[in-house]
Structures are given as C-alpha cells and as structure tokens.
Amino acid sequence: MATSHAESTYRVIQWATGKVGRQAIRYFVENPAFDLVGVLVTNPDKVGKDAGGLADLPDTGVIATDDIDAIIALDADCVHFAPRGTLPDLDTVCRLLRSGKNVVTPMGPFFRTERTGEYLDTIEAACQAGGTSFHGSGLHPGYASDLLPLTLIRLMSRIERIHVYETVNFFAHPSNYIPALGFGRAPDDVLANPSRSPDTHHIYAQSMEMIAQTLGATITDITTTLELATATKDIAYPGGVVEAGTVAGQHYEWTAWADGAPLITFHGFWTMGDDIEPRFDCGDDSSYRVVIEGDPGLDLSLSRGIRSNDQDGNGALPWTGYIGANAIPDVCDAPPGVITHLELGIVRPRGLVRPASAPAVVR
Ligand SMILES: NC(=O)c1ccc[n+]([C@@H]2O[C@H](COP(=O)([O-])OP(=O)(O)OC[C@H]3O[C@@H](n4cnc5c(N)ncnc54)[C@H](OP(=O)(O)O)[C@@H]3O)[C@@H](O)[C@H]2O)c1
C-alpha cells in the first residue's frame, strides 16, 4: 500500500548554512516528519562539523561537507537550496533535479516573467528528466508579496490597487550589511548609486506577474522611486556609526502599471531607527503589511508574535526558512515540474503540532 502524505518521512539535504539555512536545519532536526541526511557548506571552517553544532543544536550525526558529488550521490527526497546570491546556479540546481531530488529554494525563480522564462524552461526540462519538482519560495518574493495578497483577494468584490509594505528596522536588528545597504553614505551619493540595483524590480516582477495574471490584468511597465531620510544625530550600532546628515532611511517603491494606472506597489522601508528625518509612516519594527484599495478595502499587518522562539538579525528572517520547509512535503508529492504557488495551492505542512523545544540563538 502506498505511503500517504501524512505518514511519509521526507529525507532532506540543507544546501548552505547561512541565516536561512541554519533556521532550516533546526526545523528539519526538530520536526519528526523530516530526516536530515546531508548538509553542504562552502566555508572551509564548517567542513567536517556536525550539522547540529552549525545550528546551535546537539549533534545529529550528519556531517557537513563541501563535496558536491557526495551530496548529489545521497539518497534524498529534497534539497533546501539556500546559498547566497540572487538566482540559484542553474547547472547545480539542474544536476540536483536530474539526480532525483526535488528542490525548494528561497532564491527563486518564483514565477515566469520575460527575465525568468528561459531559466525556468531549463529547470522544467531537468524536472522532467529526473521525475522531480522545483519550487521557488521565500518571504518577499514568495509569500508576503504574492501568496498573502492572493489569499486576501477572496474577500474582495473589486480591486483598485494593491500595496505591499516591507519594513526593516536595522537599528533594532543590526546586521553586517548596514554599510553595504547604503546607510551612512551621503544622500547625493546614494541617489546617484542606489543600494538596490536598477535590476531589482525584476525580482519583484515575479510576484507582481503572479498577482496580475491571477486577476486577468496585463502589466505594461514597472517603475522605481527612492526617497531618502537622513540621521538627525550620530546613530551608533554594533558595527559602526551612521553619522548625522548621512542616509539613515530608504523608501523604495516598485510599481506595476496596468491599463495606464498603478495596480501593484511594493514599498521597501529600511530605517536605522527613529532618529531620522523625514520619519516614514511605516510602523516601527520589522513587519509586512498588505493594503488593498477597492471594495471592501483591506489592511493586514504581519509581525512576529511575542513568544517567537528565535533571535536573529532581522525579526522576520526565520520565516523565509519555514515558508520553504513547510512546502517540501507537497512539492515532493507533486507531479514533476516547476511548481509555483498557483499550482501548489494551500500546502499541508507536516509535524508542526508538537511540544516546544529549547530556544536557540541563531547567529
Ligand atoms: N525570497 C526571500 O524572501 C528571501 C529572504 C531571505 C533570503 N533569501 C535568499 O536566501 C538565500 C540565503 O539567505 P541567507 O540570509 O541565509 O544568506 P547568507 O546568510 O548571506 O549566506 C548563505 C550561505 O551561502 C554560502 N555562501 C557564502 N558565500 C557564498 C558565495 N559566494 N556563493 C554561494 N554561496 C555562498 C555560505 O554557506 P556556508 O556558511 O554553509 O558555507 C553562507 O552562509 C540567499 O540567496 C537570499 O537571497 C530570500
């Protein structure tokens, strides 16, 4: 008799142990529906270390390797693929898919656009060759900017415009990336060389296209604007100081236009706390918000609960790992091919209802 979705255990490999990867290891180790069978690392200091230690857990017996061939040779149902970068290395992902392993990744691609179509065609061919599936699933894109609005539209009778807000307070959640993100630079310099590349809208275009296609709308253009705020005093953080008068707040807007009107706007608010001018109307900590103008208007805010069992540099980041990990059983059980949210529908996560384990500090 075939094993049902509810009975299966899924053998998983974690590829890369950054912030998302460590959170995923913790999820896989603690969730009885998963069996962690391999971990790929690039950092030579991590090679030969137990996966448990890399995620601040007791030893698991799974030893991290940098040997890609050894990972490919493993018997596993799925690879959670989370190295640094904007798109996964196509050859590597296709090798994994052809070797019979499904792939779930927060790197995308998430949906077919003129930029991702050819890439997804190659992935689709690898899926068919390996009898496997591929799913791009992250937080933004991958959840807050597509699945969440697509879920909310069931409550509407008419839609004028959709806004998705992402707020990250880097003062409350300091990160090594603060200088790289443009904080502390002169405003003219950041306006001339923005911290998000002019190509960034192509990443968000995938979520916008997913929404537009669902609504039967056609996106004709995507525009970008950037508004800056400056520090009203020196702002010290663990890695340095953002000096008074330099950039301490950034508000990006990416807007998808349809029929000559703005249909979808993604707002990205990054701040170094409250001592900035102008103060953005964006809430005071890391959060997401979806506002839909129409009939009836909707306003949904998403932030972490007070009993959250994690601590990392960005309050919402663990979600990125969970969104992918929770989809793995459905992706593994699906027919071969590229699977977006539109095919995946509501996922049926496994093993979430269980007693709590000790809190971990995720670096
Ligand atoms: N869609 C979303 O909402 C969303 C949100 C957050 C992140 N992401 C994506 O998820 C992925 C993981 O994010 P993260 O925050 O965990 O990243 P991270 O902490 O910056 O690093 C991920 C890991 O990638 C490996 N790595 C380091 N340098 C590399 C290089 N030059 N090329 C390839 N791999 C390298 C390292 O693994 P080892 O330490 O194991 O050697 C590193 O720890 C990224 O691609 C990110 O863009 C997506």
Side-chain angles (χ1 to χ4, degrees):
M1 194 173 73
T3 310
S4 76
H5 176 94
E7 293 165 341
S8 300
T9 299
Y10 297 86
R11 293 167 58 81
V12 289
I13 293 167
Q14 177 55 42
W15 190 293
T17 59
K19 291 180 283 298
V20 174
R22 289 195 299 275
Q23 200 70 41
I25 287 176
R26 190 172 168 78
Y27 174 105
F28 296 136
V29 169
E30 293 178 345
N31 188 325
F34 295 89
D35 192 4
L36 182 70
V37 297
V39 173
L40 187 287
V41 292
T42 51
N43 182 340
D45 295 340
K46 295 183 179 178
V47 174
K49 298 261 167 65
D50 190 284
L54 296 178
D56 300 306
L57 294 172
D59 280 355
T60 60
V62 179
I63 304 301
T65 179
D66 60 356
D67 183 344
I68 293 179
D69 290 336
I71 290 286
I72 299 273
L74 283 174
D75 174 22
D77 298 302
C78 188
V79 179
H80 184 245
F81 191 82
R84 192 169 298 163
T86 43
L87 271 179
D89 177 67
L90 193 52
D91 288 343
T92 306
V93 164
C94 289
R95 252 189 105 187
L96 290 167
L97 290 165
R98 282 195 303 267
S99 77
K101 297 169 191 62
N102 301 282
V103 173
V104 171
T105 172
M107 304 174 79
F110 306 90
F111 200 72
R112 185 172 286 273
T113 64
E114 67 178 296
R115 207 36 107 82
T116 60
E118 214 172 302
Y119 196 104
L120 284 170
D121 286 344
T122 307
I123 290 180
E124 178 71 37
C127 287
Q128 297 305 331
T132 49
S133 298
F134 173 93
H135 177 60
S137 178
L139 179 55
H140 180 46
Y143 184 85
S145 49
D146 38 56
L147 190 55
L148 212 47
L150 285 174
T151 305
L152 293 179
I153 60 176
R154 291 280 296 270
L155 300 171
M156 316 259 323
S157 77
R158 193 179 56 80
I159 290 171
E160 287 166 18
R161 188 169 175 185
I162 298 174
H163 299 267
V164 178
Y165 297 80
E166 178 188 59
T167 300
V168 184
N169 179 343
F170 286 93
F171 182 69
H173 305 286
S175 130
N176 298 339
Y177 294 120
I178 286 173
L181 294 175
F183 293 114
R185 286 166 56 197
D188 287 352
D189 182 34
V190 172
L191 286 175
N193 298 292
S195 48
R196 299 305 304 261
S197 93
D199 260 8
T200 302
H201 70 275
H202 287 293
I203 299 172
Y204 297 124
Q206 300 177 78
S207 297
M208 291 167 162
E209 195 60 46
M210 200 185 307
I211 294 172
Q213 280 188 23
T214 303
L215 294 175
T218 302
I219 295 176
T220 51
D221 194 16
I222 298 177
T223 52
T224 304
T225 62
L226 171 59
E227 176 192 13
L228 298 179
T230 52
T232 54
K233 63 175 197 177
D234 287 357
I235 301 172
Y237 64 95
V241 176
V242 171
E243 291 179 6
T246 65
V247 170
Q250 301 173 61
H251 170 201
Y252 280 92
E253 272 189 17
W254 295 276
T255 297
W257 295 70
D259 280 334
L263 178 63
I264 307 162
T265 298
F266 292 169
H267 304 257
F269 287 103
W270 299 341
T271 72
M272 284 298 298
D274 294 340
D275 295 315
I276 66 174
E277 180 58 42
R279 289 279 296 276
F280 299 138
D281 182 17
C282 64
D284 56 3
D285 205 343
S286 299
S287 62
Y288 289 83
R289 185 174 164 214
V290 180
V291 175
I292 309 187
E293 297 169 11
D295 184 20
L298 286 177
D299 188 334
L300 179 108
S301 293
L302 180 68
S303 51
R304 289 198 315 164
I306 51 171
R307 288 182 59 204
S308 294
N309 188 15
D310 53 63
Q311 306 166 28
D312 77 347
N314 171 350
L317 199 57
W319 287 337
T320 304
Y322 303 151
I323 289 166
N326 278 322
I328 285 175
D330 287 272
V331 173
C332 291
D333 296 351
V338 172
I339 303 177
T340 74
H341 286 312
L342 301 190
E343 291 80 40
L344 202 53
I346 294 174
V347 301
R348 296 163 300 159
R350 296 280 319 282
L352 294 191
V353 182
R354 62 174 196 272
S357 47
V361 176
V362 178
R363 296 177 301 276

